[in-house]
Amino acid sequence: MGQRLICCLDAPSALQPPPLLPVRRKLLLLCIMLFLWLYVFYSCAGSCASVPGLAGRPAAAAGVGEAAAAAGAHGEGLQVLSKLLRRAPSGGARGLAGSAAASPSEPREEQSAAAEPTSPISSFFNGSGTKKLPQAIIIGVKKGGTRALLEFLRVHPDIRAVGAEPHFFDRNYEQGFAWYRDLMPRTLDGQITMEKTPSYFVTKEAPARISAMSKGTKLIVVVRDPVTRAISDYTQTLSKKPDIPTFESLTFKNRTTGLIDTSWSAIQIGIYAKHLENWLLYFPIGQILFVSGERLISDPAGELGRVQDFLGLKRIITDKHFYFNKTKGFPCLKKAEGSSKPHCLGKTKGRTHPDIDREVVQRLREFYRPFNMKFYQMTGHDFGWD
């Protein structure tokens, strides 16, 4: 009887719950997974924010702290996360963006107005980044292929460029650097800010003004056969003003003597050596990249590879990004920036040129030849226009 009572008293112990070790293991596993998720999220935040669709959106909040405060208990967790991430080293901006940001020659106005660097996580939440003065500028030349180059470069995730031509260093310089910077897109650490205004190359004051902004600014010039460029320039003007004189009459001061009118902008722009001399007073030749407008059409990936190397960027834009449009006679992007659809330049690009007297074309080639040869020597590159 006593043994049965003892058994009965011992029986409930068999009904007790099993040890809590499995539960603790699950909690530990959950914590590890949460930690890994936060690590991956932080690592990817900068990359996600560089996507044009995200980076271009207006700021939805002033920062992580404000967004967290509005989110209750979950927001407190975000605040803690934000503090932890701010303590982490952000890493130096690689390549051009880092060197230009540290340039001592940056304008005083810009230095005083410079925004404090933001962490990748806060930039991800508010979709902003910071506005900076451009570290690279496409300075020319008109009708050389500058628009095509800019559109191609904008595919690169580490390049952010303003679409419209600012014309700051030739028309709007009196507006000041703060005004100029405000035109620029927001960028994250490691991204390069760019703009293009082809008229800079032929503007006498532009080299000194850009040098005053930053002596480390990298310059890109897209050049093209000056004869073809002049005809293309005329064709553009003709589309806007159908009543202008013929190309032949504008080319010569005196048709009988064959004296070329170098005061006509369509002719004057193509004297590349003359304009380059002015730029070399302020920038070393190694800080200027000369892109072939012809090869930008025949081998866009090859020329874009040179540009990416020049900017210190990884070669992301390759042959797989292009297809040749036989109708337009130009390469087009399979996927443009912020789009999943193919993209070709607008109707204003690739206009059909009018027929020009062959004797006039030949005379122009003779006129440009000595300037071309000097340009080849100055750049150390034969563009094959003669």
Side-chain angles (χ1 to χ4, degrees):
M1 187 70 177
Q3 291 180 349
R4 290 181 180 178
L5 181 60
I6 293 174
C7 290
C8 292
L9 292 174
D10 291 341
S13 63
L15 301 176
Q16 292 179 358
L20 297 179
L21 289 179
V23 176
R24 292 179 181 177
R25 289 176 183 175
K26 290 181 180 180
L27 289 175
L28 178 61
L29 180 60
L30 181 62
C31 291
I32 293 174
M33 291 177 64
L34 179 60
F35 175 78
L36 291 175
W37 180 85
L38 292 176
Y39 175 79
V40 172
F41 179 76
Y42 172 58
S43 300
C44 295
S47 302
C48 295
S50 66
V51 176
L54 291 174
R57 293 175 186 171
V64 176
E66 294 181 8
H74 180 63
E76 294 179 1
L78 285 178
Q79 288 180 345
V80 174
L81 174 60
S82 177
K83 292 179 181 178
L84 291 173
L85 294 178
R86 286 173 184 168
R87 293 175 186 173
S90 60
R94 71 177 186 276
L96 176 59
S99 62
S103 174
S105 59
E106 188 175 0
R108 293 180 181 178
E109 178 181 354
E110 175 59 22
Q111 291 176 350
S112 62
E116 293 183 1
T118 57
S119 66
I121 191 69
S122 61
S123 295
F124 173 79
F125 277 111
N126 62 29
S128 60
T130 57
K131 291 189 175 184
K132 304 174 184 176
L133 291 173
Q135 297 110 323
I137 303 176
I138 301 175
I139 60 173
V141 297
K142 180 184 178 183
K143 306 309 297 179
T146 57
R147 173 54 60 183
L149 177 61
L150 185 69
E151 292 300 312
F152 295 162
L153 284 175
R154 292 175 76 172
V155 174
H156 200 293
D158 288 334
I159 293 178
R160 298 299 312 282
V162 59
E165 297 175 3
H167 284 280
F168 176 68
F169 295 103
D170 59 347
R171 302 177 188 172
N172 298 302
Y173 194 63
E174 70 282 353
Q175 299 286 352
F177 285 106
W179 177 89
Y180 182 46
R181 186 192 62 182
D182 194 53
L183 297 178
M184 299 299 121
R186 296 181 182 274
T187 56
L188 302 174
D189 289 342
Q191 290 184 318
I192 294 174
T193 303
M194 290 187 66
E195 71 115 316
K196 78 107 177 170
T197 304
S199 55
Y200 290 163
F201 189 63
V202 297
T203 300
K204 185 177 181 181
E205 299 83 7
R209 290 173 174 178
I210 295 178
S211 179
M213 176 185 74
S214 174
K215 295 183 182 297
T217 305
K218 291 202 172 184
L219 309 173
I220 301 174
V221 187
V222 187
V223 290
R224 182 184 183 187
D225 181 339
V227 177
T228 308
R229 197 221 66 82
I231 296 173
S232 179
D233 197 337
Y234 172 79
T235 303
Q236 182 183 52
T237 305
L238 183 65
S239 68
K240 300 175 181 178
K241 301 177 181 178
D243 58 343
I244 62 172
T246 64
F247 180 86
E248 291 82 356
S249 63
L250 292 170
T251 298
F252 298 100
K253 282 186 177 181
N254 189 315
R255 181 71 181 270
T256 304
T257 60
L259 182 63
I260 302 294
D261 187 358
T262 56
S263 65
W264 184 30
S265 63
I267 300 296
Q268 194 257 349
I269 291 174
I271 309 176
Y272 302 140
K274 174 185 175 183
H275 304 301
L276 181 56
E277 287 178 343
N278 188 33
W279 286 91
L280 293 180
L281 296 176
Y282 299 90
F283 294 93
I285 192 69
Q287 209 166 309
I288 309 175
L289 178 69
F290 300 91
V291 176
S292 168
E294 286 82 11
R295 280 195 291 276
L296 196 58
I297 296 174
S298 63
D299 181 22
E303 287 301 285
L304 266 293
R306 293 180 60 238
V307 177
Q308 291 171 94
D309 291 345
F310 175 71
L311 296 176
L313 298 174
K314 182 179 179 181
R315 285 198 177 197
I316 291 179
I317 307 173
T318 60
D319 286 319
K320 67 180 181 181
H321 288 89
F322 302 98
Y323 74 94
F324 191 80
N325 187 305
K326 295 181 179 179
T327 303
K328 294 184 71 68
F330 284 94
C332 300
L333 289 169
K334 291 181 180 178
K335 292 183 180 180
E337 179 196 27
S339 173
S340 60
K341 298 180 180 179
H343 173 68
C344 285
L345 297 178
K347 296 180 180 179
T348 60
K349 306 299 180 182
R351 298 186 184 93
T352 302
H353 292 178
D355 292 329
I356 306 298
D357 190 321
R358 291 185 178 181
E359 292 184 3
V360 174
V361 173
Q362 183 58 36
R363 177 68 188 93
L364 275 176
R365 295 206 175 281
E366 294 172 357
F367 167 77
Y368 279 120
R369 185 169 291 114
F371 296 108
N372 290 344
M373 293 302 173
K374 184 176 181 180
F375 184 66
Y376 298 166
Q377 292 176 350
M378 296 172 74
T379 61
H381 188 81
D382 186 343
F383 289 90
W385 298 324
D386 299 284

